[in-house]
Amino acid sequence: MKELLQPLCDAFGPAGFEDEVRELIREWIEPHCDEVRIDTMGNLVGLRRGNGKGRRIMLAAHMDEIGLIITQVEDSGLLRFSQIGVVPLKTLLGMRVRFANGTLGVISLEGGAEVEILSRELPDMGKWFVDVGAREREGLPVGVGDVATLFRPFADLGERVVAGGLDDRAGCAVLVETLRRLESSPHDIYFAFTVQEEVGSRGATTAAYMIEPDIGIAVDVTSTGDTPRPKQPMAVRLGAGPAIKVADRGLISHPRVREALVQAAEAEQIPYQLEVLPLGSTDAQAMQRARGGVLAGAVSVPCRYIHTPGEMIDMHDLEGAVRLLTAFLARPWPA
Ligand code: CO
Ligand code: ZN
């Protein structure tokens, strides 16, 4: 699956600007779908029809990633910015950024960066700037409203991989691969590649309204508790299998969805873990609250260092997520 992951992670796609990611995925999924459409918001939805005896199932993985947006240009040519989604400030110092037109820049900080960092207190947004190497404002290749991503190319470490966009290109890869491997299913399955999750599941909100699913499952990354003194206690470990979500900040998974996923994993002897994520959420929270309510849950790919340039996943977990979903989708929905 690395052949899917690498181009997905290297594609440009801060929230609201997912075009490059969408084009890649559209080409991959078209031969495997009965219908493909792109909706008003920019969500890409591929439908695989079942035999008419199943349910309507929506799977959602978000195409967007966190990023920066330019708010002001100074006479010196330095650019002020604000965040798109939750960008941890501590990861920004010295980071390179890439704009949609390929312009590269570097992030720095007013007032002597080393001193500020040593002082432990992270300076607020207003003290940071991007330097694209210009002498002055005149002739700058980027300006107010332009968006950038943190430049952090894909790195293959063998069983594990590192990249900045694994949240949630890992989920996108899982959906594409599941669609490719799925032979037959009783269900009508909507493979939704959503926009603007990082700013509050905006794409999944409208997609779920349109699709009107019976069951909604988000496929996204989740944190792990397996590095020294983690920020939050968590049972999830990297490499111990895909995680079946019990709850997070925005969702309490419907017990029937959780149970059905557990049963599918056990029937196929796929190692899995149960996930309770104290912080963070996914598109499942939007699906759950669509229209009159949807049975919702999530399958998560464990990921270390989420929202940093060094997000890390284990390829076995990715493979396990595909096997779990494939098994779940092939089975009738429990009565
Ligand atoms: Co995220
Ligand atoms: Zn995510």
Side-chain angles (χ1 to χ4, degrees), residues 200-210 283 286-287 290:
S201 290
R202 296 176 191 171
T205 301
T206 60
Y209 186 93
M210 285 290 282
D283 278 343
M287 291 190 280

Side-chain angles (χ1 to χ4, degrees), residues 62 64 166-169 197-198 219-222 281-283 306-307:
H62 66 92
D64 63 303
L166 285 166
D167 174 11
D168 183 27
R169 309 290 160 73
E197 188 270 353
E198 295 291 358
V219 182
D220 206 334
V221 294
T222 190
S281 197
T282 71
D283 278 343
I306 292 181
H307 285 201

Side-chain angles (χ1 to χ4, degrees), residues 160 223-232 234 236-238 303-305 312:
R160 294 175 172 182
S223 299
T224 67
D226 60 353
T227 51
R229 298 178 60 220
K231 195 165 73 185
Q232 51 195 351
M234 268 192 82
V236 174
R237 288 178 296 129
L238 204 66
C303 180
R304 286 181 183 165
Y305 325 122
M312 181 189 289

